[in-house]
Amino acid sequence: MIRQILRECTLSAAAVNSFLEIPRKYAADDSLYMREVHFVVAVGPEGSPTISEMASRLNVTQGAVTQMVIRLEKKGYVLRAKNPYDRRQTTVSLTEKGKTLCSDHIAFDRSEHIRASRTLADYSDAELEKIIRYEQLVRQLFTKTKDSD
């Protein structure tokens, strides 16, 4: 049974990864990866987080955030600026194009959440809580460091 659970977990992880890695058309001439879109949403339409705040929000390195900002800046979705209160920090904000993408994707997410809710409607809250706990345990299994083994 454990082997089957881990196999299903592997297949689910592959499906999620594939979902994140397929470029999608959002504007007439732009293909964006879901990771890029989620980055735009994480910045938010009214925010100007720093690079380090974005790294913390997304649980990635500051270098990964910087690379993403450079890509999205070239595509016209974000702007970088020095923090006027601390010139050592760089902030990220959305352009009008970025704000449009952000609101469009939030609407898309809402429709996907409704679809997921319908799919899971037959499960009780207790069963859903077990699924959540299972996902947390699997994440712990696969994020253990070698030192903790």
Side-chain angles (χ1 to χ4, degrees):
M1 185 62 83
I2 296 298
R3 187 181 311 262
Q4 184 178 355
I5 289 171
L6 291 175
R7 171 85 175 129
E8 293 299 326
C9 182
T10 300
L11 293 173
S12 293
V16 169
N17 193 51
S18 176
F19 175 78
L20 294 174
E21 297 300 328
I22 295 172
R24 292 169 177 77
K25 288 280 188 191
Y26 277 89
D29 57 348
D30 285 334
S31 281
L32 295 171
Y33 293 94
M34 194 57 65
R35 292 181 199 282
E36 293 172 318
V37 176
H38 288 165
F39 185 92
V40 167
V41 172
V43 171
E46 303 304 323
S48 290
T50 64
I51 297 290
S52 60
E53 289 169 341
M54 286 301 297
S56 178
R57 284 181 192 179
L58 299 170
N59 197 29
V60 297
T61 66
Q62 290 184 25
V65 170
T66 300
Q67 289 175 4
M68 182 68 74
V69 169
I70 290 168
R71 278 198 307 274
L72 290 171
E73 193 172 42
K74 286 178 184 175
K75 293 180 180 185
Y77 291 96
V78 301
L79 294 172
R80 284 183 284 177
K82 288 294 181 187
N83 183 335
Y85 304 106
D86 184 347
R87 305 282 302 158
R88 297 170 297 172
Q89 294 182 332
T90 301
T91 61
V92 183
S93 61
L94 300 183
T95 63
E96 286 305 313
K97 185 177 178 181
K99 289 177 183 178
T100 299
L101 173 63
C102 183
S103 65
D104 288 351
H105 190 73
I106 288 170
F108 169 78
D109 273 350
R110 280 190 195 114
S111 67
E112 288 299 297
H113 290 156
I114 290 168
R115 189 170 71 91
S117 293
R118 287 181 184 140
T119 301
L120 299 171
D122 291 340
Y123 291 88
S124 70
D125 285 348
E127 290 171 316
L128 292 173
E129 287 174 15
K130 284 183 181 180
I131 291 170
I132 291 167
R133 181 68 183 134
Y134 165 78
E135 290 294 330
Q136 292 168 339
L137 290 171
V138 168
R139 191 169 51 251
Q140 284 176 358
L141 281 172
F142 288 101
T143 56
K144 260 187 167 179
T145 61
K146 290 185 182 222
D147 294 339
S148 63
D149 287 338

